[in-house]
Amino acid sequence: MGTYQAWDALGDPTRRAIVECLAERPRAVGELAEVLPISRPAVSQHLKVLKEAGLVSDQATGTRRVYRLNPAGLSALRDQLDTFWSRALEGYQSAVENEEKT
Amino acid sequence: MGTYQAWDALGDPTRRAIVECLAERPRAVGELAEVLPISRPAVSQHLKVLKEAGLVSDQATGTRRVYRLNPAGLSALRDQLDTFWSRALEGYQSAVENEEKT
DNA sequence: ACGAACGGTAAGCTATGACTTACCGACGAC
DNA sequence: GTCGTCGGTAAGTCATAGCTTACCGTTCGT
């Protein structure tokens, strides 16, 4: 249930592609496999990781299994990001302003 | 440049620990290495990834090099997350309707 | 009942990436 | 100048994660 699993899950580009795909609309496993450049078992494995991370939920309809994004998982991630962001600003303004680039 | 590098960067637990550490206050490389259970060169390598992802910035003071969080990088990440989240909600309520074919 | 479609799991291969030690340059103190 | 500190880079090792094919259970159609 740790939300840190969500970061690990989204660390993979293929899983981010799946998330983007599911952001459009819920899809079955086979539909995702058609779009993505990987096999269907690979999609299943990614979906398992995403599900354990709380980022997606699934619902069986007949022999198909439709996956969709879990808004709660995404909002939990955003809350964490907000915490980092606000704390970063605190440490930022307390430091001397000297900027540089690559 | 690509904000997707930020997701890859935060996919590693050690780099997330570095980000959390820098969220408290800016630190030099050696300071981070003291706290973390890895060697100093490993910290340098992680910082390089975080820097290329736009999540941290560095500033040389004498022989020390102080790293801090880059709020712009974090906010860019949050914007992406918001996009996912809102689109997930759209697909969520429209999921009641029929699905469409490929 | 049989067969096909859908999808999860197992086993195995391979590549990537996270770590190490060793080395080197840059800067400050003296 | 020399020496010590700080930190980035190189080279090499090793584990893990992502992919594949093969297999199996489940469900629907006929």
Side-chain angles (χ1 to χ4, degrees), chain B residues 5-92:
Chain B
Q5 291 184 355
W7 290 106
D8 285 322
L10 292 180
D12 179 71
T14 301
R15 281 194 288 267
R16 287 197 299 270
I18 292 178
V19 167
E20 288 191 53
C21 219
L22 293 181
E24 298 180 10
R25 57 182 150 93
R27 309 221 195 198
V29 181
E31 294 180 86
L32 290 169
E34 286 180 12
V35 176
L36 299 168
I38 58 177
S39 67
R40 189 197 47 72
V43 174
S44 270
Q45 292 161 9
H46 283 304
L47 286 172
K48 181 181 182 182
V49 174
L50 289 171
K51 185 180 177 182
E52 288 175 350
L55 291 172
V56 304
S57 64
D58 61 335
Q59 174 193 4
T61 62
T63 157
R64 290 160 61 90
R65 185 164 284 266
V66 176
Y67 282 81
R68 73 186 63 182
L69 283 195
N70 181 15
L74 291 175
S75 80
L77 219 56
R78 201 188 61 149
D79 290 345
Q80 268 197 349
L81 209 50
D82 281 337
T83 304
F84 281 164
W85 186 67
S86 58
R87 278 200 281 184
L89 285 183
E90 294 175 8
Y92 207 68

Side-chain angles (χ1 to χ4, degrees), chain A residues 39-54:
Chain A
S39 68
R40 189 196 48 72
V43 174
S44 271
Q45 292 161 8
H46 283 305
L47 286 172
K48 182 181 181 181
V49 174
L50 289 172
K51 185 180 178 183
E52 288 175 348

